[in-house]
């Protein structure tokens, strides 16, 4: 499987790390309206600061709506103006690599090169 940003990932030892197998519903803070810009990893947004950080090349996702909402509420006021919605997706092994961190509510997702990430996510209207 070739991942988006494959060339950069290959420059980092053991990147990406293990892959959680199976389908998983995950949530992400996104822009309003949701665009491709909602799915740019920190390594691209903040380069060159995170070029050597494997996790920064993935997308930060959450295992439940409440965890994503908490992250949204913890963003700076400036970022909250841009990232004001939460989207969810049922990601499969074909979509990319899902890595879970020590915090079991947080995942890093490395999309497969040809995954249409925008079509994989839908806005959530909860609470």
């Amino acid at each position: 499987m070739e991942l988006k940003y494959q060339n950069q990932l290959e420059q980092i030892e053991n990147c990406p790390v293990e892959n959680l197998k199976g389908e998983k519903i995950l949530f992400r803070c996104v822009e309003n309206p949701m665009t491709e810009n909602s799915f740019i990893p920190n390594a691209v947004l903040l380069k060159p600061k995170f070029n050597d950080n494997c996790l920064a090349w993935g997308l930060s996702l959450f295992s439940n709506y409440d965890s994503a909402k908490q992250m949204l509420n913890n963003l700076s006021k400036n970022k909250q103006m841009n990232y004001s919605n939460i989207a969810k997706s049922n990601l499969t092994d074909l979509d990319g690599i899902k890595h879970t961190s020590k915090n079991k509510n947080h995942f890093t997702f490395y999309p497969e090169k040809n995954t249409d990430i925008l079509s994989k996510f839908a806005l959530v209207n909860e609470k």
Side-chain angles (χ1 to χ4, degrees):
M1 167 184 304
E2 185 174 351
L3 301 174
K4 198 167 191 174
Y5 308 110
Q6 184 72 43
N7 292 337
Q8 294 86 344
L9 296 170
E10 288 174 352
Q11 304 302 312
I12 304 169
E13 189 175 338
N14 297 322
C15 182
V17 285
E18 84 277 340
N19 184 12
L20 176 69
K21 296 290 186 188
E23 289 186 19
K24 184 80 179 158
I25 294 176
L26 295 169
F27 298 81
R28 178 164 173 83
C29 302
V30 295
E31 296 177 331
N32 183 14
M34 185 173 61
T35 68
E36 290 280 344
N37 290 339
S38 295
F39 301 96
I40 298 174
N42 281 334
V44 174
L45 291 173
L46 305 172
K47 64 182 170 181
K49 183 176 180 181
F50 292 114
N51 278 354
D52 297 332
N53 183 327
C54 182
L55 294 177
W57 287 101
L59 301 174
S60 184
L61 303 175
F62 299 90
S63 62
N64 57 63
Y65 177 87
D66 289 337
S67 293
K69 185 70 172 173
Q70 183 178 1
M71 171 56 81
L72 196 61
N73 291 336
N74 288 335
L75 291 175
S76 68
K77 294 288 183 205
N78 190 27
K79 286 198 184 251
Q80 282 183 12
M81 289 176 64
N82 292 330
Y83 294 88
S84 59
N85 283 327
I86 295 172
K88 78 175 182 178
S89 179
N90 185 18
L91 296 171
T92 70
D93 294 341
L94 297 176
D95 297 321
I97 292 178
K98 302 172 292 295
H99 165 70
T100 183
S101 63
K102 291 176 186 156
N103 173 351
K104 297 301 179 197
N105 288 328
H106 184 266
F107 289 77
T108 303
F109 176 65
Y110 303 89
E112 192 274 334
K113 181 180 179 182
N114 295 314
T115 296
D116 180 0
I117 196 79
L118 197 54
S119 72
K120 291 294 298 180
F121 281 81
L123 292 179
V124 178
N125 295 314
E126 292 189 28
K127 301 169 185 152

